[in-house]
Amino acid sequence: MKLKKILLPDNEIPQAWFNIQAVMPNKPQPIRNPATGEPMKSEDLYPIFCEECARQELDTEHEWIPIPEPVREQYAAWRCTPLVRAYDLEKALDTPAHIYFKNESTSPSGSHKLNSALAQVYYAKQEGVTNVTTETGAGQWGGALSYAAKKFGIEAAVYMVKSSFNQKPYRRSIMQTFGAAITPSPSMSTRAGKDLLTVNPNDQGSLGCAISEAIELAMTTPNCKYTLGSVLNHVCLHQTVIGLEAKKQMELAGEYPDLVIACFGGGSNFCGTAFPFMRDKIKEGTKTRFIAAEPASCPKLTKGKFEYDFADEVGMTPLLPMYTLGHTFKPAAIHAGGLRYHGAGVILSQLMKDGLMEGRDYDQLDTFNAGVLFARSEGIIPAPESCHAIACVIEEALKCRESGEKKTILFNLSGHGFVDMSAYDQYFSGEMTNYRPSDEDLKRFIASADALNK
Amino acid sequence: MKLKKILLPDNEIPQAWFNIQAVMPNKPQPIRNPATGEPMKSEDLYPIFCEECARQELDTEHEWIPIPEPVREQYAAWRCTPLVRAYDLEKALDTPAHIYFKNESTSPSGSHKLNSALAQVYYAKQEGVTNVTTETGAGQWGGALSYAAKKFGIEAAVYMVKSSFNQKPYRRSIMQTFGAAITPSPSMSTRAGKDLLTVNPNDQGSLGCAISEAIELAMTTPNCKYTLGSVLNHVCLHQTVIGLEAKKQMELAGEYPDLVIACFGGGSNFCGTAFPFMRDKIKEGTKTRFIAAEPASCPKLTKGKFEYDFADEVGMTPLLPMYTLGHTFKPAAIHAGGLRYHGAGVILSQLMKDGLMEGRDYDQLDTFNAGVLFARSEGIIPAPESCHAIACVIEEALKCRESGEKKTILFNLSGHGFVDMSAYDQYFSGEMTNYRPSDEDLKRFIASADALNK
C-alpha cells in the first residue's frame, strides 16, 4: 500500500521555534510610537502583552527559541499533525504535480490557531497574569484562546465581532464550552465600543474595533494581558512548528517542495508553514517559491501599500511597517472571516518587499469551487480560509498539467469547515457572490495610512 | 516527555476484519422471514443488500474477513486513528485509573461511521450497483455514506429524519458538499412515506420510518442497494478496525484494558471497539468487562426484552432476535440522535444474553456534564452520543478513586461535536431536560414486539 500520511510520534514535536528575524537579509523596520514617532522597545509593549511575548516580538538575535516543556505537552494532544499526500486531488486534476498538505485541521479547536494560543497563555500564566483578552472574527482564534486559557487555568474574555456573534453561533458555543466570557463587539464595556455605538447603535463591528476593545480592557484591568492570533512576530514564531514538522515529514517522503502555499489573513499560518523552508532559501539558496493566497476582497499584498499603519481600527496600537489597505479599510463580508484584515504582519511585509515571497488574490467563488473539489477528492471539508490556499494549489497544479512539470507542492490546510457549513449552503444555493473593492475605495482607505506617514 | 498519543503508520491498518460470529460460545439465532417464520439465507437478503454484505451478515465460519485493498487505501485518509491517554481527565477526576481513548473523531466525516460506509459502497460498486440509499437520523451515517459514495463514484440518496433535516442544517450541508441527494422523511417519494403523511401531514419522522423509505427505494429501483450504518452484523464487522488497532496500540502502551466502554445506539461503535478484546475473553478467559452506555430515554439493554422484532418502524425488514423496546417505540428527542433506536444488533444481543457484556443507561444531563468536563480536560468537544461513553468512564474512574484500584479503562470517542453545538447551547442555557419513558409506555411499546413472537 502506498503511504498516504507521514506521521511523527509525540517526541518529534519540535523543541524550539524558528525565529526568522535572526536570518532575514533585511531586518524588519522598527515599530513606532504613534505619538512620538520613536522606535519602540520590548518594555514599551509590556503594558499590553506579557513580557516574554513582547521580547520575542522584537528578538532579531536568537534563531531558535526553546518551546517550554508544558507547551510541548499540550501540543501532544494533537501534534505532530499528519502530512498527507493528496493522491485523489492529483488524480482529479490529472496533474503530474505531487501535492502534499499539512493537516492542521486535526487540532482540538479545528485549526492551527492553538499553536500560538497555548504558548501565549502559558507565558501569561508564568508571569502571574490571571486574565487574558482578545478579539475574534471568524471565531477560530477565540476558540483556540478559550481552550488554552482553560488548560492553563486562567480566565479568557473574548470580544467577538457582532456580525459573527450573530451569524456564527456554533463558534460562540465552542468558546462557551471551553469556559470563556464572550462579548459582542462593539460593546458598552469599553470607551472604544461606546464611541462607536454612540454614533451608530447598530454598528455590526469589525476585527479592528474588537482589537481596540480587547486592548483597552487589557490596559485598564490589573493582571490582564492582551493576546493576538495573527499578524505579530511572536505569533508567527509560534506557528513555525507547522513548517518544522513538515520539513521532517517531506524528508521522510523523499521530496522537497518547489512551491509552498498557504492562505493569508495576517500571516500566522502562512508564516508558520513557510518560514522553516524559507530558511533554506535564505541560507542555502534553494529555489522554492512561496505564495500567500489572499481574498480578492481584501487584497493587501496584491493591491496594498507598504507603509506605517495602525494594527487596529481606532488607532490604539503602535505603528507597524506593513503592506496595508489602510486601517479604516472595511473588508466585504466574505465567509473567510479570518482573512478580513487590512494589514500584513511586519516580518512578512519585509520578506514580500525583498522579493522572497509573492501574494496572489482569489475571488470567493473560485475558492469555494476549489474547496468543494478538495472535499470530494480528499474527504476533508476545508475552512473558507483554507479554500484560498487550495484555489492556488489547483491553479499551480493545472499549470503543471499544461507544462508537464512534476512540481512538488506543499500547502497548509489551516482548518476544517465543520463550523462553516452555512457558507457552503450559500455556495450551493447559487447565491454566493464575489467582492472586489473599487480602485477609488482602495485609494480612499489607503489614504488613512498615508496620513500617518507624512 | 510522556507519550500522550500512540500512533500507528498507514501500513498497520488491519488487513482483515474480525468476525466474532465465528468464535461466539452461542451463535446468534437466525433472522426470520416475517411472513413464513422461516430462517433466512444470505440469498434472501440480496434484493436489499449487496451480495458480499449479505454473505458477511450470516457468516458464522470465517474468523477473519480480508479488507479489500481499495478500502484500506481509503482508510488511510485518516486511519490508523490515535490512541490517546487522557492524562488531564485523570487529573481532573483525581483517579488512579488509567484512561485511554481511541479517537475516531479524526475521520473526515467526524465519526467512526466511515469505516463501514467505505466497505459497503466498495462492495456495491464491485457488484455493478450504481446507486445506494440509506437513512440518517443525527446525520453522522448519512455524511459518511455520502462521502464513501463520492469516493467510489456512485450516487447516494439519503432519507433524513425530517426533524433532523430542519434542526441540523449543518449535517445536511455536509452531505450536500459530498454530492448526495437528501430527502426529508417521511416523504411522498415512497409508499411508506405517503401512508404516514396521509394520516399526519406534519409527521416529523423517525429513524424507523426513514429506514422503511430507504429500503423501499432500494427494492423498487434497478441497480440500487440499501445500506445501514449500525445494528447489522456486517456493519459491526467493518467497525472492528477500531478495536484491532486499539489492541496493538494498548500493547505498545504496555497495558491491557480492565474495562472497555462505548456508547450504544445500534451497536456499531461499541461492537467495533469491544469485539477484538472480547475475542481474548472468549478464547483466553481474560477478565475484561464490556459496558455499552445507552440513553436512559431509549434503554433497550437495561429495560428492553430479548425477542424477535422488526428493525424498522413499518415492518419491511426480516425479524431479528434482539433486545428491543418494540419497533413502534418513539424515542424522546434527545440530542444524541444516533442512539435513538429501538433495538440492539443481533450479535450484541446474544452476547448480552450470554453475560459477556453489560448495558448501563445515562440521563441526558449527566452525559453533557461529562462531555463538558472532557472537553475542558482533553480539548475535544465530544458528539452527544460519545458523551454517554464518557459519563460511564467517569463513573468508573470515580469508583477507582473510592477503591484505590488502578484500573485501565479504554473507551471509544466515536465522534466530535462540532456539528452539534446547538445541543451544548441548550445545556449551558439550563434548559436541557432528561427523559425517561414511563413503565406503562415501555410495556405498551414492547407489546408491539411481543405480538410478533406468539
Side-chain angles (χ1 to χ4, degrees):
Chain A
M1 192 172 74
K2 58 189 180 181
L3 238 53
K4 171 82 179 160
K5 302 186 301 301
I6 312 280
L7 304 176
L8 294 172
D10 293 8
N11 52 20
E12 293 271 6
I13 292 171
Q15 311 225 354
W17 294 298
F18 167 59
N19 179 18
I20 199 169
Q21 294 192 82
V23 305
M24 287 168 72
N26 296 304
K27 305 282 179 202
Q29 296 179 26
I31 61 175
R32 292 186 188 278
N33 181 317
T36 64
E38 287 301 304
M40 291 178 81
K41 301 199 200 79
S42 298
E43 305 87 271
D44 300 327
L45 301 174
Y46 291 173
I48 303 181
F49 298 102
C50 70
E51 299 186 6
E52 180 57 27
C53 291
R55 276 192 293 274
Q56 291 175 358
E57 187 64 20
L58 300 182
D59 185 338
T60 55
E61 271 179 52
H62 304 92
E63 187 173 339
W64 300 99
I65 313 271
I67 306 178
E69 214 43 34
V71 174
R72 288 185 76 228
E73 275 172 23
Q74 290 300 328
Y75 279 173
W78 80 103
R79 307 207 71 85
C80 303
T81 61
L83 178 77
V84 188
R85 174 83 182 266
Y87 287 114
D88 290 348
L89 179 62
E90 291 171 16
K91 202 170 141 195
L93 297 171
D94 190 23
T95 177
H98 290 190
I99 303 174
Y100 290 86
F101 63 93
K102 185 74 171 154
N103 188 359
E104 289 292 308
S105 80
T106 60
S107 123
S109 72
S111 83
H112 68 293
K113 292 289 185 192
L114 208 44
N115 297 327
S116 184
L118 286 166
Q120 292 187 51
V121 173
Y122 168 77
Y123 289 126
K125 175 79 177 181
Q126 288 296 103
E127 294 174 18
V129 169
T130 56
N131 294 65
V132 286
T133 180
T134 198
E135 73 293 325
T136 198
Q140 295 268 23
W141 169 248
L145 187 79
S146 306
Y147 168 96
K150 179 54 67 181
K151 292 314 292 276
F152 286 115
I154 66 182
E155 301 301 324
V158 181
Y159 286 94
M160 186 172 191
V161 177
K162 196 177 279 172
S163 57
S164 297
F165 184 88
N166 294 321
Q167 284 163 21
K168 301 197 173 218
Y170 276 28
R171 291 277 181 208
R172 194 182 33 171
S173 313
I174 290 170
M175 292 186 262
Q176 182 169 252
T177 303
F178 290 133
I182 309 132
T183 307
S185 165
S187 76
M188 293 301 280
S189 70
T190 63
R191 183 76 263 155
K194 278 179 212 161
D195 285 351
L196 285 166
L197 289 173
T198 308
V199 175
N200 175 12
N202 289 317
D203 194 312
Q204 290 303 298
S206 69
L207 207 51
C209 162
I211 294 176
S212 304
E213 289 207 274
I215 292 179
E216 185 179 326
L217 184 71
M219 292 181 71
T220 55
T221 309
N223 281 322
C224 179
K225 294 293 172 183
Y226 171 68
T227 63
L228 189 70
S230 191
V231 181
L232 295 175
N233 301 347
H234 66 276
V235 182
C236 300
L237 171 76
H238 302 152
Q239 293 294 350
T240 58
V241 286
I242 304 171
L244 291 167
E245 289 175 9
K247 267 198 77 175
K248 280 191 206 170
Q249 290 165 311
M250 290 298 293
E251 210 172 300
L252 288 171
E255 305 219 48
Y256 193 90
D258 299 303
L259 284 168
V260 175
I261 295 167
C263 67
F264 175 69
S268 77
N269 101 86
F270 175 83
C271 297
T273 311
F275 285 177
F277 293 96
M278 213 179 269
R279 180 173 182 271
D280 296 347
K281 188 173 179 127
I282 294 169
K283 291 203 151 188
E284 295 160 28
T286 50
K287 299 292 177 207
T288 302
R289 282 172 57 204
F290 300 90
I291 310 177
E294 66 181 4
S297 56
C298 195
K300 52 219 172 225
L301 295 182
T302 54
K303 303 215 172 122
K305 189 168 168 187
F306 183 91
E307 57 188 349
Y308 274 92
D309 199 3
F310 286 115
D312 70 329
E313 185 171 349
V314 172
M316 298 181 69
T317 69
L319 288 172
L320 308 182
M322 60 183 184
Y323 280 90
T324 181
L325 296 166
H327 61 278
T328 58
F329 182 74
K330 306 275 182 218
I334 56 168
H335 291 282
L339 310 185
R340 295 175 67 228
Y341 184 69
H342 67 278
V346 168
I347 295 177
L348 182 142
S349 293
Q350 186 64 46
L351 295 168
M352 179 82 186
K353 198 155 171 270
D354 290 340
L356 280 157
M357 56 165 288
E358 52 204 286
R360 207 176 285 172
D361 61 58
Y362 293 91
D363 278 320
Q364 178 161 260
L365 272 164
D366 292 335
T367 66
F368 275 86
N369 286 336
V372 169
L373 178 64
F374 181 78
R376 293 181 176 182
S377 317
E378 294 299 320
I380 306 167
I381 300 176
E385 290 83 1
S386 312
C387 289
H388 290 70
I390 298 167
C392 182
V393 168
I394 291 175
E395 184 175 44
E396 289 294 325
L398 290 176
K399 281 187 201 163
C400 288
R401 181 169 75 186
E402 291 299 306
S403 67
E405 280 176 296
K406 210 170 148 177
K407 283 190 182 161
T408 298
I409 304 174
L410 167 68
F411 79 96
N412 189 37
L413 184 73
S414 55
H416 64 63
F418 280 127
V419 196
D420 302 286
M421 293 313 301
S422 57
Y424 282 88
D425 280 349
Q426 205 199 28
Y427 170 80
F428 285 113
S429 75
E431 283 163 23
M432 183 176 276
T433 50
N434 290 328
Y435 304 89
R436 281 182 179 260
S438 68
D439 288 346
E440 299 81 62
D441 277 352
L442 283 172
K443 216 162 154 184
R444 183 163 55 86
F445 287 121
I446 290 175
S448 72
D450 289 343
L452 303 167
N453 288 267
K454 276 168 189 157
Chain B
M1 193 172 74
K2 59 189 178 181
L3 238 53
K4 171 83 178 158
K5 302 186 302 298
I6 311 280
L7 303 176
L8 294 172
D10 293 6
N11 52 20
E12 293 271 7
I13 293 171
Q15 311 225 353
W17 293 299
F18 167 58
N19 178 18
I20 199 170
Q21 294 192 81
V23 305
M24 287 167 73
N26 295 304
K27 305 284 179 202
Q29 295 178 26
I31 61 173
R32 294 186 187 278
N33 181 318
T36 65
E38 287 301 305
M40 291 178 82
K41 301 197 201 81
S42 298
E43 303 88 271
D44 300 327
L45 301 174
Y46 291 173
I48 302 180
F49 298 103
C50 70
E51 299 185 6
E52 180 57 26
C53 291
R55 275 192 294 274
Q56 291 175 357
E57 186 64 20
L58 300 183
D59 185 339
T60 56
E61 271 178 53
H62 304 92
E63 187 173 339
W64 299 100
I65 313 273
I67 305 179
E69 214 42 35
V71 174
R72 289 184 76 227
E73 275 173 23
Q74 291 300 328
Y75 279 172
W78 80 103
R79 305 208 73 85
C80 303
T81 61
L83 178 77
V84 187
R85 173 82 182 268
Y87 288 114
D88 289 348
L89 179 62
E90 292 170 16
K91 203 170 142 195
L93 297 171
D94 190 23
T95 177
H98 289 190
I99 303 174
Y100 290 87
F101 63 94
K102 185 73 171 154
N103 188 0
E104 289 292 308
S105 79
T106 60
S107 122
S109 71
S111 84
H112 69 293
K113 292 290 185 191
L114 208 43
N115 297 326
S116 184
L118 286 165
Q120 292 187 51
V121 174
Y122 168 77
Y123 289 127
K125 175 79 176 181
Q126 287 297 101
E127 294 173 18
V129 169
T130 55
N131 294 64
V132 286
T133 180
T134 199
E135 73 293 326
T136 198
Q140 294 270 22
W141 168 249
L145 187 79
S146 307
Y147 168 96
K150 180 54 68 182
K151 291 316 290 278
F152 285 116
I154 68 182
E155 301 301 324
V158 181
Y159 286 94
M160 186 171 190
V161 177
K162 196 176 278 172
S163 56
S164 296
F165 184 88
N166 293 321
Q167 283 163 20
K168 302 198 173 218
Y170 277 28
R171 291 278 181 207
R172 193 180 33 170
S173 313
I174 289 170
M175 292 186 260
Q176 182 169 252
T177 303
F178 290 133
I182 308 133
T183 308
S185 166
S187 77
M188 293 301 280
S189 70
T190 63
R191 184 74 264 157
K194 277 179 212 161
D195 286 350
L196 286 166
L197 289 173
T198 308
V199 175
N200 176 11
N202 289 318
D203 193 314
Q204 289 304 297
S206 69
L207 208 49
C209 163
I211 294 176
S212 305
E213 290 208 272
I215 293 180
E216 185 180 327
L217 183 70
M219 291 182 71
T220 55
T221 310
N223 281 321
C224 179
K225 294 292 173 184
Y226 171 68
T227 63
L228 190 70
S230 191
V231 181
L232 295 175
N233 301 347
H234 67 276
V235 182
C236 299
L237 171 77
H238 303 152
Q239 292 294 351
T240 58
V241 287
I242 303 171
L244 291 167
E245 289 175 9
K247 267 199 75 174
K248 279 191 208 172
Q249 290 165 312
M250 290 298 293
E251 211 173 298
L252 289 170
E255 303 220 49
Y256 192 91
D258 300 303
L259 284 168
V260 175
I261 295 168
C263 67
F264 174 69
S268 79
N269 100 87
F270 176 83
C271 298
T273 311
F275 286 178
F277 293 96
M278 213 180 272
R279 180 174 182 270
D280 295 347
K281 187 172 179 127
I282 294 169
K283 291 202 153 189
E284 295 161 28
T286 49
K287 300 290 176 208
T288 302
R289 282 172 58 204
F290 300 90
I291 310 177
E294 64 181 5
S297 57
C298 195
K300 52 220 174 224
L301 295 182
T302 54
K303 303 217 172 117
K305 190 169 167 187
F306 183 90
E307 57 186 351
Y308 275 93
D309 199 4
F310 287 115
D312 69 330
E313 185 171 348
V314 172
M316 297 181 70
T317 68
L319 288 172
L320 307 183
M322 59 181 184
Y323 280 90
T324 180
L325 296 167
H327 61 278
T328 58
F329 182 76
K330 307 274 182 217
I334 56 167
H335 291 283
L339 309 185
R340 296 175 66 228
Y341 184 68
H342 67 277
V346 169
I347 295 176
L348 182 142
S349 292
Q350 186 64 47
L351 295 167
M352 180 81 185
K353 199 156 170 270
D354 290 341
L356 280 157
M357 56 165 287
E358 52 204 285
R360 207 175 286 170
D361 60 58
Y362 293 91
D363 278 320
Q364 178 160 261
L365 272 164
D366 292 335
T367 66
F368 275 85
N369 286 337
V372 169
L373 178 64
F374 181 79
R376 292 179 177 183
S377 318
E378 294 299 320
I380 306 168
I381 299 176
E385 291 81 2
S386 313
C387 288
H388 289 71
I390 298 166
C392 182
V393 168
I394 290 175
E395 185 175 43
E396 289 294 326
L398 291 177
K399 281 187 202 163
C400 288
R401 182 169 74 186
E402 290 300 305
S403 68
E405 280 176 295
K406 209 172 150 177
K407 284 190 182 161
T408 299
I409 303 175
L410 167 68
F411 78 97
N412 189 37
L413 184 75
S414 55
H416 63 64
F418 280 127
V419 196
D420 303 285
M421 293 313 300
S422 56
Y424 283 88
D425 280 349
Q426 206 200 26
Y427 171 80
F428 285 112
S429 75
E431 284 164 21
M432 184 176 277
T433 51
N434 290 330
Y435 304 89
R436 281 183 179 258
S438 68
D439 289 345
E440 298 83 63
D441 277 352
L442 284 172
K443 216 163 155 184
R444 183 162 56 85
F445 287 121
I446 290 175
S448 71
D450 290 343
L452 303 167
N453 288 266
K454 275 168 189 159

